[in-house]
Amino acid sequence: MAQIEQSDGGKKKKGAQKKMQIHVDFTPMVDMNMLLITFFMLCTTMIKSQTLNIALPSNEKVEQEQQNKAKESQAVTLILDTERDEEGNVKYDAETGKPAHMIYYYLGKPDVADEDKDGLIDNSNLKVEKFIGNQNGEVQGIRKILHDKNKTVLEKIAVLKQDWKDKKISDDEYQARAKEIRNDSLIQDRPVVIIKAGPNASWESLIGALDEMQINQISRYQIDNINATDSALIFDYLAKNPRK
Amino acid sequence: MGKVKPKRKSTLIDMTAMSDVTVLLLTFFMLTSTFLQKEPVTVLTPSSVSELKVPVTNLTTVLVSPEGKVFLSVSGDADSTYSSEKVRAEVLQTAVAEYNKTHSNKIQLTPAQVAKFSKMNMFGYRLADLPAYLDKEQFQQDELLSDPNNPLAGIPIDDNKDLNKPNEFQIWMRAIYNSSNPHMEQSIKSGEGIAVKADKDTPYETVHNILDNLQTLKMNKFSLMTALKTEND
């Protein structure tokens, strides 16, 4: 392991100190370290889980009069669905490589009138969007729809954010004031989003929808169960626009 | 012809630098990573922009497998009076007492079984078969829990709304809520005490059942476990 070498093969003057070179072989040490690294890499995780807080309404029956009714002009209903194959595995979008989540949405009340009685809804206001996120700094997909709905709040928060970036206000102050703006009842056009998830919708799409609420600073949203009207709307949509 | 003798060179390579690098790497891994918790099913959580960290103490994790099986993990307080082990032992005893009130087949647990249970990070087994399960060896327990075809694995859950006749999931959650650790109750009330963890591809219907049960239990505020992503994704 450790070797001591004498230099100058014996040709030395008397009295001169012997020069010693010490070699310590570090190979076993490196071996051991590598083993330890392998152990740590296999047994530990670098991903720290984050959490998303939600509050669901209580399950108790609420009297009709006590229910909060959202104004029609403010209501946005999202119906989540995920394309799955016969075995129930999530399909992936061929272009983007992302899971094929479909977000059906309508603004205000659903339009289900069928005047000519052909079994199809005449003017369905149901549209479909996807989770795309931002592209080139521009909001896309469903985010654009929600963004446009909550413009006033987002504009106010953008001003606040600039102040915060310029270090004019502290973190806490920024959070508190952003919350105030989100919940400001004087802003008339704050949307109320109702998130409904179909039976096939994957957990990821629900989280994605909740995430959009956070990104778009929407304070009023709720998770609801899908009802017969919603199913009929989607059925109608798929009859008109069959999936490839 | 004279033989040319190759000059013998020393093959010693100085490993000091290499050793330095490996020690640095090792330090990095030890400091930045956390140990993987043993879980009966591996789930890949969806990602969100939320940056709230998962609390380490007083947390009940509800793990939902893609088949809809439910597993629970309870961590206690940082204070050793309410350590994870003590809380788990207490929760088990409360849950069994509650179960025995409503069922004719009474469960009896030995102190050794309770001690074994208190060391388990994640549990999820039918209460009636729990004593037999606790008597098994560790590797057999792991096999039983992670076998997707084992009907006994996972905490039984249904859409029961009547808390006078609670299902086993409701028994467990109430036992956790009512444990003598006051911080657990506080954190559940504030919405930080319960974290639901499900795979991103799990159908919403499966998870909805669990959320519905939590609503029935009036634990309306809770958190959902996610991984981090940026707004651009």
Side-chain angles (χ1 to χ4, degrees):
Chain A
M1 293 292 129
Q3 285 160 341
I4 301 172
E5 270 178 19
Q6 271 183 11
S7 56
D8 295 344
K11 284 186 240 164
K12 257 189 205 133
K13 288 174 198 165
K14 268 187 184 173
Q17 266 199 325
K18 280 182 185 171
K19 267 196 182 171
M20 306 266 248
Q21 250 189 344
I22 306 174
H23 278 286
V24 182
D25 191 3
F26 271 101
T27 325
M29 171 89 168
V30 171
D31 288 355
M32 186 199 69
N33 282 344
M34 283 295 185
L35 275 179
L36 276 174
I37 290 175
T38 323
F39 168 75
F40 271 98
M41 281 175 80
L42 292 179
C43 298
T44 61
T45 168
M46 307 279 272
I47 307 162
K48 263 242 159 207
S49 288
Q50 258 70 32
T51 60
L52 187 69
N53 284 344
I54 59 163
L56 294 177
S58 121
N59 243 357
E60 284 159 23
K61 290 269 170 287
V62 183
E63 295 295 319
Q64 283 288 321
E65 300 96 66
Q66 289 179 335
Q67 276 184 5
N68 288 327
K69 284 265 158 71
K71 267 193 210 160
E72 200 188 317
S73 59
Q74 296 168 336
V76 183
T77 308
L78 307 181
I79 308 168
L80 310 172
D81 199 12
T82 304
E83 282 185 48
R84 286 170 190 270
D85 59 16
E86 291 84 28
E87 285 157 24
N89 295 321
V90 174
K91 279 191 190 170
Y92 284 83
D93 198 307
E95 280 172 38
T96 56
K98 286 185 179 178
H101 300 309
M102 314 296 280
I103 307 136
Y104 301 98
Y105 72 95
Y106 56 82
L107 309 176
K109 276 187 181 163
D111 199 345
V112 287
D114 181 16
E115 304 262 306
D116 50 7
K117 302 267 181 280
D118 62 350
L120 292 174
I121 299 164
D122 303 331
N123 291 308
S124 176
N125 56 356
L126 189 77
K127 288 178 202 137
V128 71
E129 271 298 348
K130 283 184 177 168
F131 291 120
I132 311 176
N134 294 1
Q135 261 168 14
N136 312 325
E138 289 287 310
V139 285
Q140 302 283 333
I142 190 70
R143 193 173 295 168
K144 188 169 167 39
I145 310 294
L146 294 169
H147 191 93
D148 291 350
K149 274 300 226 183
N150 204 24
K151 245 183 182 146
T152 323
V153 170
L154 283 165
E155 274 164 11
K156 285 194 173 183
I157 288 188
V159 173
L160 197 64
K161 208 171 193 173
Q162 198 51 51
D163 283 356
W164 173 62
K165 273 185 184 157
D166 298 344
K167 303 238 159 48
K168 278 185 204 152
I169 51 173
S170 68
D171 280 10
D172 293 339
E173 200 181 340
Y174 167 69
Q175 296 293 350
R177 284 186 41 197
K179 196 178 176 189
E180 234 168 69
I181 295 173
R182 274 200 294 272
N183 297 319
D184 190 352
S185 53
L186 292 173
I187 302 173
Q188 293 296 323
D189 62 349
R190 286 184 312 147
V192 177
V193 182
I194 300 145
I195 303 167
K196 298 181 178 188
N200 272 335
S202 74
W203 184 233
E204 188 181 31
S205 65
L206 186 84
I207 299 276
L210 292 173
D211 222 24
E212 293 300 323
M213 300 302 120
Q214 213 169 50
I215 293 169
N216 289 306
Q217 313 280 2
I218 295 170
S219 60
R220 297 187 294 177
Y221 58 89
Q222 65 182 76
I223 303 172
D224 206 347
N225 295 331
I226 203 157
N227 61 28
T229 321
D230 302 322
S231 314
L233 277 168
I234 292 181
F235 187 77
D236 178 74
Y237 182 87
L238 289 178
K240 289 173 191 161
N241 310 283
R243 279 178 189 166
K244 283 153 215 156
Chain B
M1 289 236 278
K3 271 187 188 170
V4 183
K5 260 196 178 176
K7 214 183 172 186
R8 277 204 186 169
K9 269 187 185 166
S10 164
T11 48
L12 279 181
I13 304 167
D14 192 10
M15 281 287 184
T16 326
M18 178 83 166
S19 169
D20 288 353
V21 173
T22 51
V23 170
L24 271 180
L25 268 176
L26 193 60
T27 323
F28 171 75
F29 274 104
M30 282 175 74
L31 292 180
T32 53
S33 58
T34 45
F35 272 93
L36 280 177
Q37 297 284 2
K38 202 164 68 184
E39 288 177 351
V41 281
T42 326
V43 297
L44 213 65
T45 51
S47 36
S48 87
V49 293
S50 172
E51 284 176 18
L52 295 167
K53 290 267 181 296
V54 188
V56 186
T57 54
N58 299 317
L59 177 76
T60 309
T61 313
V62 184
L63 178 76
V64 186
S65 83
E67 295 89 29
K69 283 185 178 156
V70 181
F71 303 93
L72 285 175
S73 145
V74 185
S75 71
D77 203 65
D79 181 5
S80 64
T81 331
Y82 305 110
S83 70
S84 298
E85 265 116 60
K86 283 178 192 158
V87 170
R88 277 178 213 146
E90 194 199 335
V91 164
L92 176 67
Q93 272 151 347
T94 326
V96 166
E98 181 80 7
Y99 181 86
N100 286 349
K101 261 190 237 165
T102 47
H103 293 75
S104 53
N105 54 334
K106 306 273 184 248
I107 301 169
Q108 295 288 336
L109 287 170
T110 61
Q113 284 166 340
V114 175
K116 229 173 167 182
F117 179 87
S118 68
K119 293 209 169 53
M120 288 198 292
N121 170 49
M122 194 152 247
F123 58 91
Y125 217 70
R126 243 175 61 165
L127 264 171
D129 302 285
L130 195 62
Y133 169 78
L134 287 174
D135 284 337
K136 290 204 165 59
E137 291 295 321
Q138 175 109 51
F139 71 95
Q140 285 173 313
Q141 291 180 344
D142 291 348
E143 257 171 42
L144 281 172
L145 265 200
S146 49
D147 178 9
N149 299 319
N150 181 7
L152 304 178
I155 294 166
I157 189 166
D158 53 19
D159 54 0
N160 172 46
K161 299 263 189 297
D162 179 12
L163 284 180
N164 291 321
K165 278 187 236 149
N167 61 31
E168 286 187 22
F169 177 73
Q170 289 160 350
I171 291 179
W172 280 112
M173 289 311 290
R174 278 211 293 199
I176 292 166
Y177 184 78
N178 294 328
S179 81
S180 60
N181 174 7
H183 304 114
M184 183 66 97
E185 191 180 323
Q186 272 168 25
S187 62
I188 289 180
K189 271 189 184 154
S190 70
E192 285 168 355
I194 304 174
V196 178
K197 191 175 183 184
D199 192 87
K200 62 189 177 64
D201 288 345
T202 307
Y204 173 65
E205 217 178 8
T206 315
V207 191
H208 181 232
N209 193 14
I210 284 101
L211 302 190
D212 207 40
N213 265 277
L214 286 171
Q215 275 179 294
T216 308
L217 286 160
K218 300 203 180 72
M219 299 174 187
N220 296 326
K221 280 168 102 180
F222 47 85
S223 46
L224 312 171
M225 275 216 199
T226 54
L228 194 64
K229 73 167 183 190
T230 60
E231 271 189 33
N232 291 326
D233 295 323

